[in-house]
Amino acid sequence: MAHDAAHAFSSALKTFKTASGKSGKFWSLKELAKAYPGIEKLPVSIRIILESVLRNCDGQKVTAAHIAELAHWAPNAERTDEIPFVVTRVVLQDFTGVPLLADLAAMRSVAAALGKSPKTIEPLVPVDLVVDHSVMVDYYGTPKALDLNMKLEFQRNNERYQFMKWGMQAFDTFRVVPPGFGIVHQVNLEYFARGVYTSPNDKGDVPVYYPDSLVGTDSHTTMINGIGVVGWGVGGIEAEAAMLGQPVYMLTPDVVGFELTGKLREGVTATDLVLYVTAILRGEKVVGKFVEFFGPGAGSIAVPDRATIGNMAPEYGATMGFFPVDEMTVAYFKGTGRTDQEVELFEAYYKAQGLFGMPAPGELNYTKIVRLDLGTVTPSLAGPKRPQDRIDLGHMSTKFSELFSKPNEANGFNQPANKLRMRYPLAHDGVSVEEKEQPPTPAGAPREVVEMVANRSTKAAAHSVASAPKAPPSGVTIGNGDVLIAAITSCTNTSNPSVMLAAGLLAKKAVLAGLTVKPHVKTSLAPGSRIVTDYLVKADLLQYLEKLGFYLAGYGCTTCIGNAGDLSPEINEVISKNDLVGAAVLSGNRNFEARIHPNLKANFLASPPLVVAYAIAGNVMVDLMTQPVGKGKGGKDVYLGDIWPTMAEIDENLRHAMDAKSFRKNYEQIKENPGKLWSSIKGVSGQVYDWPESTYIAEPPFFAGFKMKPHAADAGFKSARVMALFGDSITTDHISPAGSIKESSPAGIWLKANGVKKEDFNSYGSRRGNHDVMMRGTFANVRIKNLMIAPDDKGTQEEGGVTRFQPGNEKMFIYDAAMKYIELGVPTVVFGGEEYGTGSSRDWAAKGTQLLGIKAVIARSFERIHRANLVGMGVLPLQFRGADSWQTLGLTGDERIDVVIGGELKPQMDVKLVVHRPDNSHQEVTVRLRIDTPIEVDYYKHGGILPFVLRQLLAA
C-alpha cells in the first residue's frame, strides 16, 4: 500500500479521531479536493472509488493520471477512461466458488510443473465462500424437512465439500462458511462487512483505515450497497484476477441519481417498492451504470429495505444500486452485533471523509435524475418470465388470462383460449404418502427446530434419506394458473425482517380464520440466515407458517436458483400430457424460463406475505383484490384485507429482529460449531491438488499447453458457421443452466456413461467443477429457442439446445454440432438480440461458449457481466450498430461469416462483418467491438484473463 513520500499525493494522508479519542490515518478526499475542487460535488459512490485509486497509487498499475481522470468525473462526459479499482475483499458462493477454486488449483499445478513455488498462486485479499446454493427442497411440509434436506445435500456434494476443505488448508486467506448458516449476501450484510478496514501488513502505530469494498461471484452481491459498500457481481474469472492482486478495471461509469420522496402507504411492502424500482430503471436503460439513491425518502428507508433495492440491481441492469452511509447504517451495524469499537471507527471515518449522511436534492451532480414518490407504490408481483415485468396485484388475474393465449414473442404462452379454465384429474386415486395437513405443532417445537439447527443436529431420520416428492391426496385436479410451488426464498426478501414478519403475521391471521393451503401446492421456507428463524420464533409466528405447510426446508437459495426440488410424478405427468401452464410464486429475484422448475412456465416474484396468500388461494387467476382468498371457519369467505398485517403490527414485532447478542451468538458458531456433517468431511492436504477421479471436480482445460509467452493470434477469422440465432433477453440461465440435468441431454448421457445414476445427477450448478458436464450443458436450457429451427405448423418454436449442422442441415444438439465443427477446424459464431447474457454472473456461460469453439457472439446489446466474461475467456463480443440485427440481415443460419479486424486491436473499434450466403452473394455490415478497455485488449491477446494473470504471477 503506497503511503510514503514517493506517493504523488502524499499530503493527502491525514489523521482522524474517533469519539473516544482513538487516532487513525486516512487518505483524505477533502485534502485532494484542494487540487480538484469538483470532488465535493461527485456522487458518493464515485468518491469511494476515488479513495481506493488515491490510496493504491503506486505509479504502475494505479497512476496519478488515474486520480486526475476520476477526480474530473463529469456527469455527461464520453466514457473512455479506465479505472483500476483495487477492492478490499472478495465474496463467493459455492456454485461459482468451486470452479474458481478449481482454476486456482489448476494454476498451482501449472506453477509446480514449471518448477515454480505453488504458493505463488495465493489470494492477496481476504476471500469468503458461503455454501448456500447446494441445498434442495426435496422434503417439505414436515418438521423433518431441514434435517433430511441437509443429509441429502451432504450425500450429493461430498466430493465438492472435500475439495473446499482442501482449499481451506491450501490457501491462507480463503475461508468457508459451511452449509446451513445462510445465503452469502445476507451473511455478507450481517457478518462479513466490518465497515472500515486496515491492512494486515500495516505495522504503524497509527494504522491507515479505508472503506469496505468488494466484488463477488454472484450478481446479487449488490445487496451490500444497502449499507454504503461499493461492490458488485463479477464472473469468477474476473474475481480470480481481483483475488490475485489485479485491480478490477472498468470504464468510468455514468451515475444515475434516484431521488426518493414521500413514504410507503399502509399495506405496501419493500418487495413492492423494489419491483417498481426495477421496472422504472429497466425503462431508463441503466446497464453498466451506477444508480445512487438520495433524498428524504431514501433517508427514511430502513437498511434492510435499502438492501432489498440494492440486491436487485442486476434485475434493473445497473452495476450498483447504492445508498450512502448515514445514521440508519450506524443503527444497523449496532443492531447486527458489530463491536462498539467497529461502529465508532466506521462512523468517525465516514464523517472525516465528508461521506456521511444522505445527500439532499441538488447537493451532488448526477448524469441523470429519476424520481419516485414512495406514496405511489402499490402491491405488485413481477413475471411471468422476467423480473422487470411488474404487474399490479389487482391486474394479476387478467394479465395471466391475456398472456395465456398471446404468442411467445409477446411473452405469452401461445395456448388456445378455450383451454384456460379446464382442469384435469391426477393419474392416481390413492392417498398421499405424507398428508399435507400436519397435526398442530406443540408450543415448544419451533424453539426445538431453531436449537436443532443451531446445534447442527444430525440424528438419523426414521426413514430413508432417498427423496420422493409427495403426491397430493386423491380427488385433486390440476389446471392452468395453479400455484404448484409457493416458496419464501432468496436473499432479496428473507434478509428483510419487515416482509418476513408480515408473512408470519398473515399466516397467523389465516390460520385463526380457518384457512388452509391447497393440497397441490409445494410450500417451503428457506430463510437467508438463521437469525430469521430466531426472530420468527421469538415473535411466536413460525408455528403458524408451519401450520400452512411452510416448514423450514433449508438455509440457502433453494427455489430462486432452481433448487425447488421436483414436483410429484403425478403432477408432472398431468402438466406434460396437457401442456399446462402451471405457476410458481416465490419471494425471489429471478423468474427466468425453466429456472424455477422445468415444467412450470409461469413464475411470479412476490413479497413473502403474498406468497402465503397465493398458496392459500391456489391459483394466480384468483383476484386477491376482489375475490376471497379462501373459505374459513363455517364456510365464511375470507378476503386478503381480513388477514393482511398492518404496519403497526409489523413494527411491534421488529424489536425481535435487531438483537445484537443473537447475531454475535449465531455467527460465532461458524468457527466453534460448524456442524457434525461438515466436520465429518475429510479433504486432502497439500499445496497442490492431486485431482482424484470425480464427476464433480476435474482439472479445467484452460491452461492446457500453457507457455510463458502467449501465442500471437489473429483476432479475426473467416468462414465461420452459425451455431445459433437467438432473440432478445437470452439469459445466462439459457446459456448455462443451473438446475436439473435432463437424462436425454448430452450432459445426462455423459453422466450415465460414467456410472452416475439419474437420481444422483444433482444439478448443473453443483457440477460446475467439471468441464465435461458444463460444456455439454452450454445452451442446454430446456426453454431456449434457437430460431434457426423453423416453428411447427401452429407457429410454436421448438425449445431446447439444438441446432442445424452445416453442410447437410442435420438437426442435432448444439454440443454435438460444436464437437464436429471443432474436429473439422471450422470456427462458429452465435447471434443474439437485446440484453444478451442478462441474469446471473455465471462464468460458465462464457467458459462453455469458449469450449464449444465459438469465436464471437454478435448481438444488439450485452449485459455488463457476461460481456466482460466473454472477453475474459477470449471470445469476441460484437455489437450491431443502429437498427442493424441478424433479422435485418435476413440470416437463416445457412450462411458463412467472416470477422475482419483492420489493423491493431483497439477498444470499441469498428469491425467488418461479412455474410456469405449459399447463393455465393455476400453482404458487409459494420459492428462495434465490445472489448471496452485497454486491459481487456491485453486479456484477449493472452487468450483470456486467467492466462494473463498467471503469466504475470509466474514472471514475478
Side-chain angles (χ1 to χ4, degrees):
M1 191 158 301
H3 49 85
D4 53 31
H7 193 290
F9 293 91
S10 55
S11 62
L13 188 62
K14 298 295 182 184
T15 302
F16 72 99
K17 284 193 181 297
T18 69
S20 63
K22 180 181 171 69
S23 294
K25 290 182 180 178
F26 74 116
W27 286 92
S28 171
L29 295 175
K30 288 181 179 177
E31 185 66 26
L32 188 64
K34 291 177 181 177
Y36 305 106
I39 286 175
E40 293 180 355
K41 295 283 282 183
L42 295 181
V44 175
S45 51
I46 293 291
R47 281 185 276 167
I48 291 174
I49 293 177
L50 179 58
E51 185 279 340
S52 170
V53 176
L54 171 64
R55 172 168 40 91
N56 290 286
C57 181
D58 59 2
Q60 295 172 333
K61 287 179 181 172
V62 186
T63 67
H66 288 126
I67 296 172
E69 286 164 0
L70 194 55
H72 283 126
W73 182 89
N76 292 290
E78 187 181 356
R79 304 304 179 197
T80 56
D81 294 336
E82 182 179 73
I83 307 171
F85 179 36
V86 178
V87 295
T88 302
R89 57 193 179 92
V90 173
V91 294
L92 318 171
Q93 41 96 330
D94 57 308
F95 271 15
T96 50
V98 165
L100 180 149
L101 185 59
D103 289 343
L104 291 181
M107 286 185 182
R108 282 202 165 178
S109 295
V110 172
L114 294 176
K116 307 275 187 179
S117 168
K119 291 294 281 183
T120 306
I121 313 300
E122 179 73 42
L124 300 178
V125 298
V127 180
D128 290 292
L129 183 151
V130 179
V131 186
D132 64 351
H133 275 51
S134 296
V135 66
M136 300 178 78
V137 186
D138 292 288
Y139 288 89
Y140 68 101
T142 165
K144 299 171 185 173
L146 173 73
D147 201 30
L148 294 171
N149 287 332
M150 283 195 68
K151 283 188 174 73
L152 265 177
E153 175 190 351
F154 273 81
Q155 276 184 17
R156 289 169 174 150
N157 296 285
N158 185 59
E159 292 171 37
R160 299 171 69 238
Y161 295 169
Q162 286 178 341
F163 184 51
M164 289 181 205
K165 283 275 182 96
W166 170 79
M168 289 171 73
Q169 62 81 45
F171 297 101
D172 297 335
T173 51
F174 179 75
R175 298 186 300 178
V176 175
V177 175
F181 277 89
I183 296 173
V184 58
H185 309 304
Q186 190 164 346
V187 175
N188 194 17
L189 199 69
E190 295 175 352
Y191 175 60
F192 291 155
R194 310 317 294 185
V196 292
Y197 289 74
T198 184
S199 169
N201 301 320
D202 192 336
K203 306 301 181 188
D205 294 335
V206 181
V208 176
Y209 290 96
Y210 49 91
D212 189 6
S213 63
L214 68 147
V215 288
T217 58
D218 189 293
S219 49
H220 296 107
T221 300
T222 49
M223 187 166 174
I224 204 70
N225 302 159
I227 55 170
V229 174
V230 168
W232 53 83
V234 295
I237 41 189
E238 201 173 346
E240 286 172 59
M243 285 164 49
L244 296 170
Q246 291 293 304
V248 175
Y249 290 93
M250 58 186 294
L251 282 178
T252 307
D254 288 350
V255 183
V256 175
F258 201 128
E259 182 183 347
L260 296 175
T261 58
K263 63 178 185 177
L264 295 176
R265 293 185 290 171
E266 182 72 47
V268 176
T269 69
T271 313
D272 303 319
L273 171 58
V274 76
L275 294 180
Y276 259 75
V277 169
T278 300
I280 290 167
L281 288 172
R282 262 295 164 189
E284 293 288 342
K285 298 194 181 299
V286 294
V287 173
K289 300 176 184 180
F290 289 4
V291 173
E292 186 166 303
F293 294 87
F294 71 96
S300 70
I301 295 176
V303 164
D305 295 357
R306 297 178 185 183
T308 302
I309 294 169
N311 177 287
M312 283 189 74
E315 278 63 58
Y316 44 85
T319 303
M320 286 202 301
F322 181 84
F323 285 82
V325 169
D326 64 0
E327 292 83 358
M328 290 278 206
T329 325
V330 172
Y332 181 80
F333 267 53
K334 289 177 179 175
T336 49
R338 274 72 170 190
T339 66
D340 292 342
Q341 183 186 29
E342 284 175 319
V343 175
E344 186 181 274
L345 263 171
F346 175 61
E347 186 171 4
Y349 176 87
Y350 274 84
K351 285 181 175 176
Q353 277 288 28
L355 296 173
F356 191 88
M358 189 62 66
E363 198 173 313
L364 302 179
N365 294 329
Y366 295 108
T367 303
K368 182 179 184 177
I369 292 177
V370 179
R371 295 179 175 87
L372 175 64
D373 177 356
L374 298 178
T376 63
V377 176
T378 58
S380 304
L381 297 92
K385 301 176 184 179
R386 301 189 307 177
Q388 64 263 38
D389 296 330
R390 190 188 66 82
I391 304 169
D392 271 318
L393 178 60
H395 297 157
M396 179 70 173
S397 174
T398 53
K399 186 69 175 177
F400 180 85
S401 301
E402 287 170 14
L403 291 173
F404 184 74
S405 299
K406 281 194 172 180
N408 293 326
E409 54 268 26
N411 228 16
F413 300 108
N414 204 29
Q415 298 282 333
N418 61 0
K419 259 185 71 179
L420 178 63
R421 301 282 177 180
M422 293 179 72
R423 301 194 66 77
Y424 304 86
L426 294 183
H428 80 309
D429 57 1
V431 294
S432 63
V433 176
E434 208 170 341
E435 289 293 337
K436 184 74 178 172
E437 293 292 330
Q438 298 293 332
T441 309
R447 170 55 64 187
E448 289 166 12
V449 170
V450 175
E451 288 174 353
M452 177 198 72
V453 177
N455 297 327
R456 317 308 311 136
S457 168
T458 58
K459 293 177 183 176
H463 54 285
S464 167
V465 176
S467 161
K470 295 184 294 187
S474 59
V476 172
T477 60
I478 303 295
N480 294 298
D482 273 1
V483 177
L484 299 175
I485 289 177
I488 299 174
T489 178
S490 105
C491 45
T492 315
N493 289 290
T494 63
S495 61
N496 191 318
S498 65
V499 291
M500 293 301 288
L501 288 165
L505 288 163
L506 185 141
K508 180 178 181 178
K509 292 185 177 190
V511 168
L512 296 178
L515 294 174
T516 58
V517 166
K518 295 291 184 287
H520 56 65
V521 184
K522 182 173 185 175
T523 48
S524 61
L525 171 64
S529 93
R530 300 187 325 197
I531 293 294
V532 177
T533 323
D534 188 67
Y535 65 68
L536 285 174
V537 169
K538 287 176 180 173
D540 194 29
L541 297 175
L542 185 63
Q543 62 161 317
Y544 296 104
L545 284 163
E546 290 175 339
K547 286 172 181 175
L548 293 177
F550 288 92
Y551 280 87
L552 191 60
Y555 292 101
C557 295
T558 65
T559 305
C560 194
I561 58 152
N563 283 4
D566 207 356
L567 301 172
S568 73
E570 294 85 357
I571 289 178
N572 280 329
E573 185 182 342
V574 171
I575 293 172
S576 300
K577 189 175 178 182
N578 300 286
D579 199 17
L580 290 183
V581 182
V585 180
L586 65 149
S587 66
N589 43 37
R590 292 272 164 82
N591 56 347
F592 304 133
E593 292 180 292
R595 183 182 178 99
I596 307 307
H597 187 281
N599 283 343
L600 296 188
K601 294 182 179 179
N603 302 290
F604 296 96
L605 307 181
S607 65
L610 274 182
V611 170
V612 179
Y614 272 106
I616 296 167
N619 190 292
V620 296
M621 287 185 285
V622 176
D623 184 353
L624 294 185
M625 296 297 278
T626 61
Q627 294 176 281
V629 182
K631 290 194 179 293
K633 291 174 181 174
K636 179 186 173 186
D637 284 340
V638 179
Y639 291 84
L640 188 60
D642 301 330
I643 57 174
W644 196 263
T646 64
M647 284 185 176
E649 289 170 325
I650 295 168
D651 288 345
E652 187 183 331
N653 285 280
L654 277 174
R655 70 183 190 279
H656 300 301
M658 282 294 172
D659 181 345
K661 285 183 180 176
S662 292
F663 279 91
R664 282 196 286 269
K665 184 180 178 183
N666 176 57
Y667 287 112
E668 283 167 3
Q669 298 292 314
I670 293 171
K671 281 186 180 177
E672 295 176 6
N673 188 15
K676 290 179 183 176
L677 288 171
W678 182 254
S679 298
S680 68
I681 298 286
K682 304 300 179 193
V684 298
S685 59
Q687 295 303 308
V688 179
Y689 195 60
D690 59 1
W691 303 107
E693 193 171 320
S694 167
T695 57
Y696 278 96
I697 308 295
E699 186 170 8
F702 308 122
F703 305 104
F706 180 85
K707 298 278 194 304
M708 283 301 290
K709 283 192 174 181
H711 171 67
D714 185 359
F717 51 86
K718 290 189 174 182
S719 227
R721 286 293 185 180
V722 179
M723 185 66 81
L725 300 172
F726 293 127
D728 295 338
S729 299
I730 289 296
T731 70
T732 50
D733 275 274
H734 285 121
I735 304 165
S736 182
S740 58
I741 300 171
K742 203 172 176 181
E743 198 169 3
S744 59
S745 70
I749 293 165
W750 184 87
L751 285 169
K752 282 197 296 183
N754 281 271
V756 181
K757 296 176 181 175
K758 171 69 174 78
E759 57 268 27
D760 297 325
F761 277 8
N762 211 335
S763 64
Y764 281 113
S766 66
R767 291 190 179 272
R768 283 189 192 152
N770 190 303
H771 59 277
D772 276 312
V773 174
M774 296 311 296
M775 61 193 289
R776 286 167 172 81
T778 304
F779 299 111
N781 186 300
V782 297
R783 293 279 171 261
I784 198 168
K785 301 175 185 73
N786 184 354
L787 303 178
M788 283 170 64
I789 311 295
D792 64 18
D793 53 8
K794 294 178 183 175
T796 302
Q797 192 69 47
E798 182 174 345
E799 297 177 322
V802 291
T803 189
R804 289 189 288 111
F805 181 83
Q806 303 294 354
N809 215 29
E810 182 186 354
K811 190 168 80 172
M812 62 179 69
F813 286 121
I814 285 176
Y815 169 78
D816 293 334
M819 294 304 102
K820 288 184 73 170
Y821 284 131
I822 289 172
E823 189 180 348
L824 295 168
V826 176
T828 51
V829 296
V830 163
F831 286 90
E834 298 281 3
E835 299 174 359
Y836 185 88
T838 188
S840 301
S841 60
R842 193 159 294 169
D843 56 348
W844 262 110
K847 285 178 173 177
T849 300
Q850 187 239 48
L851 289 179
L852 293 186
I854 294 163
K855 301 299 181 188
V857 177
I858 305 117
R860 292 270 304 144
S861 65
F862 290 90
E863 284 290 89
R864 175 184 62 86
I865 299 174
H866 187 59
R867 183 210 62 80
N869 280 344
L870 288 171
V871 177
M873 290 309 301
V875 179
L876 290 173
L878 302 172
Q879 187 165 337
F880 285 112
R881 303 195 316 172
D884 289 346
S885 67
W886 66 260
Q887 290 94 336
T888 63
L889 288 173
L891 299 186
T892 63
D894 301 335
E895 301 81 4
R896 287 183 179 269
I897 308 294
D898 298 345
V899 170
V900 182
I901 295 177
E904 185 69 18
L905 200 67
K906 293 178 183 174
Q908 299 210 358
M909 68 188 294
D910 285 345
V911 170
K912 189 188 295 180
L913 199 71
V914 185
V915 178
H916 298 275
R917 305 185 192 279
D919 64 3
N920 292 324
S921 66
H922 73 275
Q923 183 177 358
E924 294 183 3
V925 63
T926 301
V927 295
R928 174 66 47 84
L929 175 66
R930 286 303 310 278
I931 292 179
D932 285 357
T933 64
I935 192 69
E936 286 188 339
V937 172
D938 288 339
Y939 293 159
Y940 183 82
K941 286 180 176 178
H942 277 258
I945 192 171
L946 301 183
F948 173 85
V949 174
L950 182 56
R951 287 184 180 106
Q952 283 205 330
L953 292 171
L954 295 180

